[in-house]
């Protein structure tokens, strides 16, 4: 069916439904006494439903039985009713309800509201923050409690008991999602040795995590960092952002003007005092050279007098 998403039912569930709801047959009029098989075959002949078969017909690695509700179906070559592992997909689209129409308009608004969270007033940010934190804490606590109950019952009695069995299901109705009572455990009971092994590993992991847990100082630092991040998010506002940009722009202009003034001052004439000092420094070597040359001439003259004598 070219990867089309469909809604389907199982043959055995349709038979049970027709038996438990005899009033449904009234809509068939004169054909209300038809058998369940004839009813479904009529739907098949009118192309209102189509018989499908599971794509994966063997048990996958790590599984003990085939899925009751497979996620991938293919068209069956025999379009007849059967209760034994028969799946029938509806071939027409259901009428869109008012609630679905409202949600189609609400979801874009919700996405826009999420994007505009930074510009919310402070009180609104507080409400959103604590609501999300509370919901997240509730979900995590529920999953941890559920896992703890499963682990205790599995180690002590070898029973696989998952309360809220559909809490992690991707595609299910809300009624099935919040169903509390677990499904019946049809798997083989695990051995005592394996249960003791996993219990020992769990205890060792807990002790290891407790041994390497951060101290009070580290926890205080982490808490301070998180608090600072949350405060930055809550206290941010467009006015502060704009004022900060204006201050930054003003500071940049002041820096540019100071640099320009300093460059202008260094490009002028040097004070005359420095030039005089340079001239004096340049004149001193000449004077020394003249003095030295005069001393040499005097020595020569003395030498000549000595030779004459």
């Amino acid at each position: 069916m070219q990867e089309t998403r469909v809604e389907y039912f199982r043959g055995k569930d349709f038979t049970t439904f027709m038996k438990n709801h005899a009033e449904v047959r009234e809509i068939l009029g004169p054909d209300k006494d038809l058998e369940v098989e004839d009813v479904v075959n009529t739907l098949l002949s009118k192309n209102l439903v189509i018989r499908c078969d599971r794509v994966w017909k063997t048990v996958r690695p790590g599984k003990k039985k085939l899925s009751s509700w497979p996620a991938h179906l293919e068209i069956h070559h025999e379009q007849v009713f059967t209760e034994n592992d028969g799946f029938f997909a509806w071939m027409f689209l259901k009428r869109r309800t008012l609630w679905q129409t409202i949600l189609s308009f609400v979801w874009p608004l919700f996405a826009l509201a999420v994007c505009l969270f930074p510009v919310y007033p402070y009180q609104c940010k507080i409400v959103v923050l604590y609501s999300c934190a509370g919901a997240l804490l509730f979900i995590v606590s529920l999953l941890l409690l559920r896992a703890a109950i499963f682990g205790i019952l599995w180690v002590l009695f070898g029973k696989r008991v998952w309360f809220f069995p559909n809490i992690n299901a991707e595609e299910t109705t809300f009624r099935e999602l919040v169903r509390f009572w677990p499904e019946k455990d049809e798997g083989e009971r695990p051995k005592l040795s394996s249960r003791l092994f996993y219990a020992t590993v769990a205890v060792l992991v807990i002790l290891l995590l407790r041994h390497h847990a951060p101290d009070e100082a580290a926890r205080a630092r982490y808490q301070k960092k998180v608090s600072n991040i949350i405060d930055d998010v809550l206290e941010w506002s467009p006015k502060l952002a704009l004022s900060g940009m204006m201050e930054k722009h003003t500071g940049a202009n002041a820096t540019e003007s100071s640099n320009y003034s300093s460059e202008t001052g260094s490009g002028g004439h040097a004070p005359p005092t420095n030039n005089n000092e340079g001239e004096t420094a340049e004149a001193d070597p000449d004077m020394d050279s003249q003095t030295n040359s005069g001393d040499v001439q005097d020595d020569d003259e003395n030498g000549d007098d000595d030779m004459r004598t």
Side-chain angles (χ1 to χ4, degrees):
M1 299 178 66
Q2 300 180 355
E3 302 297 330
T4 304
R5 294 181 61 88
V6 296
E7 294 184 0
Y8 67 95
F9 59 89
R10 298 181 298 185
K12 58 182 181 181
D13 294 335
F14 188 82
T15 303
T16 304
F17 176 80
M18 295 295 290
K19 290 180 179 179
N20 296 335
H21 300 81
E23 67 278 4
V24 178
R25 291 179 174 271
E26 298 298 331
I27 64 175
L28 299 177
D31 298 329
K32 63 181 180 180
D33 295 330
L34 290 176
E35 297 293 334
V36 176
E37 181 178 357
D38 297 332
V39 173
V40 178
N41 287 332
T42 303
L43 295 175
L44 289 171
S45 64
K46 295 181 179 297
N47 292 327
L48 295 176
V49 297
I50 185 172
R51 183 183 174 187
C52 302
D53 193 8
R54 60 176 76 244
V55 175
W56 305 100
K57 300 177 178 61
T58 58
V59 181
R60 291 187 178 184
K63 303 290 184 179
K64 294 185 179 181
K65 61 178 182 179
L66 294 173
S67 175
S68 300
W69 296 94
H72 302 279
L73 298 174
E74 60 184 3
I75 299 177
H76 200 280
H77 62 279
E78 295 182 0
Q79 294 297 315
V80 293
F81 177 75
T82 177
E83 293 185 10
N84 300 325
D85 202 16
F87 304 97
F88 301 89
W90 295 104
M91 295 302 295
F92 65 92
L93 297 177
K94 294 192 304 183
R95 184 179 180 181
R96 183 181 295 272
T97 62
L98 178 61
W99 181 246
Q100 292 176 337
T101 305
I102 294 174
L103 285 180
S104 63
F105 288 98
V106 169
W107 279 119
L109 297 178
F110 177 77
L112 181 62
V114 172
C115 296
L116 294 178
F117 174 78
V119 300
Y120 284 2
Y122 182 80
Q123 298 297 333
C124 294
K125 289 182 178 180
I126 289 292
V127 173
V128 173
L129 176 64
Y130 281 101
S131 300
C132 295
L136 181 61
L137 180 62
F138 174 76
I139 294 174
V140 173
S141 302
L142 179 62
L143 294 178
L144 291 178
L145 179 62
R146 177 173 174 264
I149 294 175
F150 172 83
I152 293 173
L153 295 179
W154 186 81
V155 171
L156 296 180
F157 307 104
K159 298 291 185 180
R160 301 177 182 86
V161 179
W162 284 108
F163 293 99
F164 295 102
N166 300 322
I167 195 68
N168 295 324
E170 296 181 358
E171 297 180 1
T172 184
T173 61
F174 181 76
R175 184 176 180 180
E176 290 292 328
L177 184 66
V178 298
R179 185 165 63 89
F180 174 78
W181 195 249
E183 297 178 353
K184 184 179 179 181
D185 185 15
E186 299 178 355
E188 184 181 357
R189 186 175 182 179
K191 297 180 180 180
L192 180 61
S193 58
S194 62
R195 289 150 52 191
L196 292 177
F197 172 76
Y198 285 110
T200 304
V201 171
V203 172
L204 292 177
V205 170
I206 293 174
L207 293 177
L208 183 64
L209 294 176
R210 183 178 180 182
H211 178 72
H212 291 282
D215 54 5
E216 292 295 335
R219 284 196 291 267
R221 291 196 301 270
Y222 298 151
Q223 184 178 0
K224 185 177 180 180
K225 290 181 180 179
V226 174
S227 300
N228 293 336
I229 294 174
I230 295 176
D231 292 339
D232 293 340
V233 173
L234 294 178
E235 295 176 359
W236 187 92
S237 65
K239 293 182 179 180
L240 292 177
L242 293 176
S243 62
M245 292 175 61
M246 294 299 295
E247 292 177 358
K248 184 177 180 180
H249 184 68
T250 305
N253 292 338
T255 304
E256 291 178 359
S257 61
S258 61
N259 293 335
Y260 178 76
S261 61
S262 61
E263 290 176 358
T264 304
S266 61
H269 296 287
T273 305
N274 294 336
N275 293 336
N276 293 336
E277 292 177 358
E279 292 175 357
T280 304
E282 293 175 358
D284 291 339
D286 296 337
M287 294 175 65
D288 294 337
S289 62
Q290 292 175 1
T291 305
N292 293 334
S293 61
D295 295 338
V296 172
Q297 292 176 359
D298 293 339
D299 293 338
D300 293 340
E301 291 176 0
N302 293 332
D304 294 339
D305 294 337
D306 293 338
M307 292 294 294
R308 293 189 191 99
T309 302

